[in-house]
Amino acid sequence: MLAINHRVGIEASAEKVYAALTTDAGLTLWWTNDISGAGDVGSIIKFRFNGGGPDFAVTELIPNKTVRWMHSGTTPESWIGTEVLFQLQADDKQTFVRFTHSNWQENSDFMAHCSTKWAVFLLSLKDALETNQGRPFPNDMQIDHS
Amino acid sequence: MLAINHRVGIEASAEKVYAALTTDAGLTLWWTNDISGAGDVGSIIKFRFNGGGPDFAVTELIPNKTVRWMHSGTTPESWIGTEVLFQLQADDKQTFVRFTHSNWQENSDFMAHCSTKWAVFLLSLKDALETNQGRPFPNDMQIDHS
């Protein structure tokens, strides 16, 4: 199965990382400045980038451990059927975030683009929690000139 | 087959990007400051990070289009049998680099770490060519606190 995988280590407690993945206020620190709907399992989170963007249904939450979303709706088309999983594991120095965006149908240029872009946003999450300097859209690091 | 995929767009000619992938001087701009052996097909490139690091054999070169390396030697162990491919495609604004590190045997934490780290180094390649501000090891962006 085609998947995007990443791993970062964040100098913050698992509780703080979990909050940044499960609340509108936390998610807007690092992914995009327009997010609504985050909540319990069954919630639909709307991530918006200049008006458009994906929806994800929250499908699993284990406090300070696991956050799982299933793509919902029809945008972007190649994300239909995909799943995003964040697995947290803390040690004495940091909380590791293991990220998986799985169930892609095609190893396309767009999948490769999203892989790089997810790295950028996970580093934004790291910076948001460590230095209060996240770079959510529209201040995200650009990876091309499109 | 498990693979790491990335794609960046660099405001530089395909010739300049190709040089940064096929010469010791070019590679040291963005990956690590200790590189030797880059050359024609059959060359073994030694990438060193504080003394240790991977070797890759150059297996395919199509000028300004394709650079392919097969891992050589035994370090790191989970890279044995893996292949790295850079595919370049220029348009009027940029040269896209499609990166693939394929043939991983296991979707491990280390593979996820390498995926994020490759993104960091490809952004270093982009910055090296666009602003002369690459961040090769030991000045590379840190993604954890190990």
Side-chain angles (χ1 to χ4, degrees):
Chain A
M1 200 63 77
L2 292 168
I4 294 166
N5 296 279
H6 288 296
R7 190 175 193 238
V8 296
I10 302 176
E11 196 171 26
S13 65
E15 289 76 7
K16 283 192 178 161
V17 177
Y18 186 76
L21 301 174
T22 53
T23 62
D24 291 342
L27 289 160
T28 55
L29 294 174
W30 63 274
W31 194 11
T32 172
N33 65 353
D34 183 356
I35 295 176
S36 60
D40 293 338
V41 168
S43 306
I44 307 283
I45 316 180
K46 295 176 185 296
F47 299 94
R48 293 294 177 267
F49 302 78
N50 279 336
D55 296 352
F56 278 98
V58 179
T59 54
E60 185 181 7
L61 293 175
I62 303 174
N64 312 325
K65 292 270 184 198
T66 304
V67 175
R68 194 186 299 264
W69 302 333
M70 176 61 74
H71 185 263
S72 171
T74 57
T75 301
E77 192 178 343
S78 56
W79 285 22
I80 295 174
T82 65
E83 184 179 89
V84 165
L85 173 64
F86 301 89
Q87 293 165 288
L88 313 188
Q89 187 173 26
D91 68 15
D92 55 343
K93 283 195 254 179
Q94 60 202 309
T95 300
F96 283 103
V97 178
R98 178 79 145 86
F99 171 89
T100 315
H101 187 181
S102 60
N103 209 25
W104 287 77
Q105 298 301 305
E106 191 191 357
N107 185 350
S108 61
D109 282 351
F110 182 63
M111 178 176 142
H113 165 89
C114 291
S115 176
T116 311
K117 202 74 200 192
W118 274 124
V120 163
F121 284 119
L122 290 165
L123 292 168
S124 170
L125 169 64
K126 181 175 188 290
D127 288 343
L129 295 177
E130 292 182 352
T131 67
N132 221 12
Q133 306 262 323
R135 293 188 59 178
F137 173 90
N139 298 316
D140 49 320
M141 191 189 302
Q142 297 305 299
I143 65 169
D144 57 30
H145 302 272
S146 300
Chain B
M1 200 64 76
L2 292 168
I4 293 166
N5 295 279
H6 288 296
R7 190 175 192 239
V8 296
I10 302 176
E11 195 172 26
S13 66
E15 288 77 4
K16 284 193 176 159
V17 177
Y18 185 77
L21 300 174
T22 54
T23 63
D24 290 343
L27 289 160
T28 54
L29 294 175
W30 63 273
W31 194 12
T32 172
N33 65 352
D34 183 356
I35 297 177
S36 60
D40 293 339
V41 168
S43 307
I44 306 283
I45 316 179
K46 296 177 184 296
F47 298 94
R48 294 294 176 268
F49 302 77
N50 279 336
D55 296 352
F56 279 98
V58 178
T59 53
E60 184 180 8
L61 292 175
I62 302 174
N64 312 324
K65 293 268 185 202
T66 304
V67 175
R68 195 187 298 265
W69 302 334
M70 176 62 74
H71 185 262
S72 172
T74 56
T75 302
E77 193 179 341
S78 56
W79 285 22
I80 295 173
T82 65
E83 184 179 88
V84 165
L85 173 64
F86 300 88
Q87 293 165 288
L88 313 187
Q89 187 173 26
D91 69 15
D92 56 342
K93 283 196 255 177
Q94 61 202 309
T95 299
F96 283 102
V97 178
R98 177 80 144 85
F99 170 90
T100 315
H101 187 180
S102 59
N103 208 27
W104 287 77
Q105 297 302 305
E106 190 192 357
N107 186 349
S108 60
D109 282 351
F110 182 63
M111 178 177 143
H113 165 88
C114 291
S115 176
T116 310
K117 202 75 199 192
W118 274 124
V120 163
F121 284 119
L122 291 165
L123 293 168
S124 170
L125 169 64
K126 181 175 188 289
D127 288 342
L129 295 177
E130 292 181 352
T131 66
N132 221 13
Q133 306 263 324
R135 294 187 60 178
F137 174 88
N139 298 315
D140 49 319
M141 191 189 302
Q142 298 305 300
I143 65 170
D144 58 32
H145 302 272
S146 299

